[in-house]
Amino acid sequence: MDKREDDEPLPKPRCQNKECKGRALVPMRFVAICDKGHLDEIDWYGWAHRGRHLTRTGQCARDAASLKFEVSGKSGGDFKSMEIVCSCGAKNSLEGIGDKPLPQKCKGYQPGEGVSSCTDENGRASEMRMEPRGSSALHYASVISALDIARAGKASDLARRLNNDRVFQKLVSLARKQVERGQLEKHELKQNYFDDIEDLAIEFDAEPKKCWNIFSVAVLAEPGEGDDAASGQDFSQRDILGEEFPVLASPKGYRGASLICLANEPPERFGLDKLFERVVQVEKLREVRVLRGFQRKDVSEKNTLIPPDLGSGSENWLPAIEVSGEGIFLEFKQQALKKWLEDYRDSIDKFTVAQLQSAEKEGLPERMGFNANPVFILAHTFAHMLINQLSFDCGYSSTSLRERVYCGPESNLYAGVLIYTADSDAEGSMGGLVEMGAPDRIGEVIYRAVSRSEWCSGDPVCREIESQGVGGMNRAACHACSLVAETSCTFSNILLNRMLISGEGSENGRGKTEPVGYFSNLRDR
């Protein structure tokens, strides 16, 4: 409960109308937003008097007007039954309030912040639209995350120790100034500084070559490089995932301070050894999540990404959390993916091209960190089916499970999914998820997950619809079959299509030929 400075609870606002008998007031359930992320109250006075003539209602002062929100119960409780009534007699129902921009213009307002200007590309005041106060569209978070792999490695530990050493810092600073002023050419760097770095290597009990590599990178890096938060450069989620994949997919597994992976051969049951390269039990992981900002209304590129400080420019840092947990990593077999694409290229492209084009049009691959191709849609949909199945099999709630989807471009094709739980409480380390990744158990989990993708309670509509979901970027995927909690999906529940998992290659009710799913043979075993 909110409290005052003296720790006393804040008083609840009460209605002053005698008929209400002192009932507690609640906020209006609708708010106004603009594409640049500003949030404001709807001008209810203006709405009540919209289209009204003074000859009928008389002069009504805005400051003195008394407004009421009434629900008649007629029309099934929709907008037609909701009215804003003014004490002067003017009133209007809420019919059509969400169909087009509101009469009011944006003031550049954010809750808790002052009013500023907000104009569109033509210099005019920005339009605002209605959105329910509890709508998820009011806050699409842009989060970048990374598994703690570097900290577990010896090389990164050496870099950390060197960068904290005063002698090393002075050498880097001196060499960088000489290079920037033209007093020293880059090829002369080793001749002038290698002996000093070699002495440091002896002191740190490290290989001189490794110390030199760390030194040269520090000297020759552009100003601010390697420090994205300080320089204002954006992080690349795609690069982070590209660095994580080889570690998780290592046939020898991995054991570090913050990451422990046990690599296993995929089970032969259901023919999974022909579809997956390996199954990895991730016994321990540490993840860092950073909030870069958020958007309102949708995740399109035209909608402004609002920084955590609401654009005030008062902070030069980003909020972040670190969590620990466990998970299961599945690496798809590269040759099987290539053969699947080659054999069914035409039908796969026809069923995914509209989704991929919509995502690229909005600039999502770069901003969300994925490679837009059919294999990504396959891996992403499979991750969702696996989350739903694991929540049944291992006792975790579906909201506590999370995905990481790894997918390379078709020129360097690879794919994998990490389903993990990471939280600050006990639910992040109960061990149940790792046990489900054991070779003798994971086969049944995958089989049941694929089987669930064959049918949806929304079929045939869900199966045959051309597009659905945010921006129409889903095809055969809805809340009844493929969507998961917003906290579990790192891609806002877009680019999903279960036909790439279990499609039969037959003609559907709309006369379209479905693609043959990557796991289509799994059902016959």
Side-chain angles (χ1 to χ4, degrees):
M1 179 183 293
D2 293 333
K3 294 185 177 181
R4 301 183 303 193
E5 292 183 0
D6 57 2
D7 285 340
E8 290 295 322
L10 291 173
K12 295 181 180 179
R14 301 284 178 177
C15 183
Q16 301 301 314
N17 193 321
K18 294 181 179 180
E19 297 179 359
C20 293
K21 298 180 180 180
R23 290 181 181 175
L25 294 173
V26 295
M28 193 63 176
R29 70 182 76 169
F30 308 108
V31 294
I33 61 172
C34 82
D35 289 346
K36 293 189 177 180
H38 296 116
L39 180 69
D40 203 352
E41 291 286 347
I42 294 177
D43 180 12
W44 296 116
Y45 174 88
W47 187 266
H49 293 80
R50 185 172 60 103
R52 299 295 170 178
H53 300 285
L54 292 178
T55 55
R56 296 181 182 176
T57 60
Q59 185 67 34
C60 180
R62 178 182 285 265
D63 294 339
S66 176
L67 300 174
K68 291 192 298 183
F69 174 60
E70 296 182 347
V71 181
S72 66
K74 300 177 181 179
S75 305
D78 61 8
F79 284 150
K80 289 182 181 180
S81 66
M82 302 178 189
E83 288 185 330
I84 304 297
V85 182
C86 181
S87 54
C88 72
K91 63 180 180 179
N92 262 312
S93 74
L94 269 57
E95 183 179 6
I97 194 171
D99 297 341
K100 56 184 179 180
L102 295 167
Q104 70 195 79
K105 299 299 181 180
C106 184
K107 302 174 184 176
Y109 179 81
Q110 290 283 16
E113 300 291 323
V115 176
S116 62
S117 62
C118 180
T119 57
D120 59 20
E121 60 273 9
N122 298 318
R124 295 172 298 190
S126 300
E127 294 180 335
M128 303 199 82
R129 290 184 176 272
M130 182 279 294
E131 195 70 35
R133 185 166 54 90
S135 170
S136 59
L138 294 181
H139 188 276
Y140 284 106
S142 177
V143 176
I144 190 167
S145 68
L147 300 182
D148 187 358
I149 294 174
R151 181 178 291 187
K154 295 180 180 179
S156 63
D157 181 63
L158 175 61
R160 178 181 58 79
R161 290 190 292 137
L162 283 172
N163 286 320
N164 289 332
D165 184 75
R166 289 187 177 182
V167 175
F168 182 81
Q169 289 178 348
K170 289 181 179 179
L171 290 173
V172 169
S173 178
L174 178 61
R176 183 180 289 169
K177 288 179 180 178
Q178 289 179 324
V179 172
E180 291 174 352
R181 295 171 181 172
Q183 299 172 346
L184 189 67
E185 296 294 330
K186 293 181 180 179
H187 66 271
E188 298 174 336
L189 194 63
K190 193 167 188 177
Q191 177 183 344
N192 286 267
Y193 285 94
F194 186 79
D195 290 344
D196 295 321
I197 298 302
E198 193 173 28
D199 291 340
L200 276 177
I202 295 173
E203 181 181 337
F204 280 81
D205 191 22
E207 296 180 22
K209 184 177 180 181
K210 289 184 178 179
C211 293
W212 177 255
N213 288 338
I214 295 170
F215 174 78
S216 60
V217 169
V219 172
L220 301 178
E222 294 295 326
E225 187 175 335
D227 188 1
D228 292 329
S231 64
Q233 298 176 0
D234 197 9
F235 298 97
S236 173
Q237 183 70 69
R238 185 184 296 171
D239 292 343
I240 291 174
L241 294 174
E243 293 175 3
E244 291 176 0
F245 180 80
V247 177
L248 293 172
S250 172
K252 296 181 180 179
Y254 187 88
R255 184 171 290 274
S258 302
L259 183 69
I260 300 177
C261 301
L262 302 179
N264 300 306
E265 293 294 322
E268 296 181 5
R269 193 178 182 192
F270 305 116
L272 292 177
D273 57 328
K274 295 180 174 58
L275 300 175
F276 292 100
E277 190 68 38
R278 62 183 49 84
V279 177
V280 180
Q281 295 171 278
V282 184
E283 292 188 342
K284 180 181 180 181
L285 63 83
R286 174 180 174 271
E287 180 193 16
V288 177
R289 301 173 189 166
V290 178
L291 175 66
R292 291 185 292 187
F294 63 93
Q295 292 171 283
R296 305 207 194 274
K297 190 177 172 184
D298 57 47
V299 293
S300 66
E301 194 170 27
K302 67 179 181 180
N303 287 348
T304 303
L305 181 68
I306 310 160
D309 64 358
L310 301 181
S312 64
S314 59
E315 305 293 347
N316 61 354
W317 52 272
L318 296 174
I321 61 170
E322 61 177 49
V323 291
S324 300
E326 61 184 14
I328 304 171
F329 175 75
L330 297 165
E331 181 188 0
F332 287 82
K333 190 177 283 290
Q334 187 181 53
Q335 293 303 319
L337 287 173
K338 289 182 177 179
K339 187 176 186 307
W340 174 66
L341 288 174
E342 292 172 359
D343 292 347
Y344 309 108
R345 170 62 72 177
D346 289 342
S347 59
I348 290 174
D349 285 346
K350 288 178 181 178
F351 253 66
T352 58
V353 64
Q355 294 177 261
L356 298 173
Q357 287 178 348
S358 296
E360 289 175 349
K361 183 180 179 180
E362 303 295 349
L364 300 184
E366 185 65 30
R367 288 163 51 219
M368 289 187 169
F370 62 87
N371 292 292
N373 56 48
V375 173
F376 172 78
I377 299 178
L378 162 69
H380 188 204
T381 311
F382 176 69
H384 280 217
M385 306 308 298
L386 208 55
I387 286 174
N388 287 331
Q389 188 59 47
L390 284 168
S391 68
F392 283 105
D393 290 345
C394 64
Y396 287 101
S397 65
S398 60
T399 55
S400 67
L401 298 180
R402 192 174 170 92
E403 68 177 8
R404 290 182 83 79
V405 181
Y406 303 87
C407 179
E410 291 199 37
S411 59
N412 179 30
L413 192 61
Y414 63 83
V417 296
L418 171 66
I419 307 301
Y420 65 105
T421 178
D423 211 336
S424 56
D425 61 13
E427 196 164 10
S429 57
M430 292 194 296
L433 196 56
V434 171
E435 287 302 313
M436 296 306 297
D440 59 336
R441 293 186 178 182
I442 191 64
E444 284 287 346
V445 176
I446 295 174
Y447 178 80
R448 287 194 291 268
V450 171
S451 299
R452 286 168 62 90
S453 72
E454 296 177 32
W455 184 85
C456 168
S457 60
D459 284 341
V461 176
C462 175
R463 188 185 191 100
E464 299 175 3
I465 197 168
E466 296 290 332
S467 64
Q468 58 181 319
V470 177
M473 283 181 271
N474 290 338
R475 190 151 185 176
C478 70
H479 285 282
C481 59
S482 305
L483 272 60
V484 296
E486 293 179 12
T487 54
S488 300
C489 180
T490 54
F491 302 103
S492 299
N493 273 315
I494 62 172
L495 294 178
L496 300 168
N497 190 341
R498 58 191 170 89
M499 289 300 97
L500 298 188
I501 294 181
S502 56
E504 300 175 351
S506 57
E507 189 175 287
N508 63 25
R510 293 178 179 238
K512 306 290 184 181
T513 301
E514 297 175 350
V516 175
Y518 181 75
F519 294 93
S520 59
N521 291 332
L522 198 68
R523 299 168 299 145
D524 302 328
R525 297 174 181 273

